[in-house]
Amino acid sequence: MTQPDNGFDWPRLRQRLAALPGGPGLWLGGAALLIAVIALVISLTASSAPAPVAGATGPVGPTIPAGETITTAPVGTLPAEPGTGPAPGPVPTEPVATTTSLTCPAATVTVADAAGLSAALEQAGPGTSIALADGVYPGTFTAAAKGTADRPIFLCGGAGAVIDGGGVKKGYGLHLDGADHWRIAGFTVRNAQKGVMGDGVNHSVISGLTVTAIGDEAIHLRKFSSDNVVENNVISDTGNRREKFGEGVYIGSANSNWSAITGGAPDTSDRNVVRGNTISGTTAEAVDIKEGTTGGTVTGNTFDGSAVTGADSWVDVKGNNWTISGNTGQRSPADGFQTHQVYDGWGRGNTFTGNIARVDGPGYGFHLAPVEDNRVACDNKAIGAAEGLANVACS
């Protein structure tokens, strides 16, 4: 047998094997046996290792059937169930750069007029997916059915699908009345006293809407509405009925309204997330967070206070333990961000981090009144604020 010419001294190897006790055959056979035993051990070890677990390398979100996708602005990943637990990994202090979208499944019902929309909302149940055809839907509409965590109810349309409330003096364009586990996406709400109102709503998402030409506030969550997400909406032209009520996003209720709305109890609309929204042309705050609310997040939003006449900041926090991070604001009549204590025990424990306040006004970037245990991190920035970064030392 011809040996390969690779520089190895094959004749010398044959001579040494021939000189060993038992001859080369015995030694070669032993070597083969040893190799086989090693291979067997490796095989048994590999087969006894635990099989990989699906999703073990990261959280597993809800599975949404394929269908229409409504693309929204850059924000973080939609949680599987808002407010049910801490997100894995460190909490970002600046806007998250990834792009997400709320995916609407194939429609179970498609509507093209106001009567059809009213009927579809009334008949909806877990797993229903309502698609709005382009066109104007005159009137005000109420959704009261409840979805479930694994079978939410969808109401989806493009920007050309318009709910028109018929006037800024009265009515809610879309009223979510106890409507848990809904996904509201993509269409336009205009010309109503209030744009989208949520009463007793939990685990729902309001995403990618255009809300404009509104008498009071654009989007409001109250009456024990918790664990919801308000994301990627474009809000403008509010306060056309009364300028001091023209907020962009409003969470909770003022204590003066608790008797009428919550039977006198604090309105614990907790753990709501307001993120990735573009808010301009509001006559009051872009985001107003009321006493009685706890543990929410305002992150990655863009504010323009050029039209603010009924307030003096973009964000006013009167609740407890909110995180306000990674937002950018420009032009305010006084301060960029504020806290207030209007009810004993509230307006405390709030944290501001990674925000950019282009105030171009006479106040502070961050004004805490009173200071309490609220915190302004040193990674916040104030530009054009006559009084400086904050009325407290950053930490």
Side-chain angles (χ1 to χ4, degrees), residues 228-249:
N228 302 290
V229 177
V230 178
E231 65 170 11
N232 305 337
N233 303 285
V234 177
I235 294 169
S236 65
D237 190 20
T238 64
N240 289 293
R241 187 183 75 95
R242 292 193 66 183
E243 61 186 18
K244 72 175 185 176
F245 297 152
E247 295 89 351
V249 178

Side-chain angles (χ1 to χ4, degrees), residues 6 11 15 17 32 50 65 98 113 123 125 128 161 173 196 210 218 249 277 299 315 376-377 393:
N6 55 8
Q15 291 175 2
L17 288 174
T98 56
D113 56 30
Q123 296 164 12
T128 298
V196 179
T210 298
V249 178
N277 301 282
T299 187
V315 177
V376 176

Side-chain angles (χ1 to χ4, degrees), residues 139-163:
T140 57
F141 301 88
T142 298
K146 294 184 185 295
T148 62
D150 58 343
R151 300 184 69 202
I153 301 172
F154 288 81
L155 176 61
C156 302
V162 180
I163 290 177

Side-chain angles (χ1 to χ4, degrees), residues 85-113:
V91 177
T93 58
E94 296 183 1
V96 182
T98 56
T99 299
T100 188
S101 58
L102 180 60
T103 299
C104 294
T108 59
V109 57
T110 298
V111 300
D113 56 30

Side-chain angles (χ1 to χ4, degrees), residues 11 20 70 73 112 181 202 317 342-343 348 371:
L20 293 172
I70 297 177
H181 296 288
N202 301 283
V317 186
V342 298
Y343 198 79
R348 306 182 61 178
V371 174

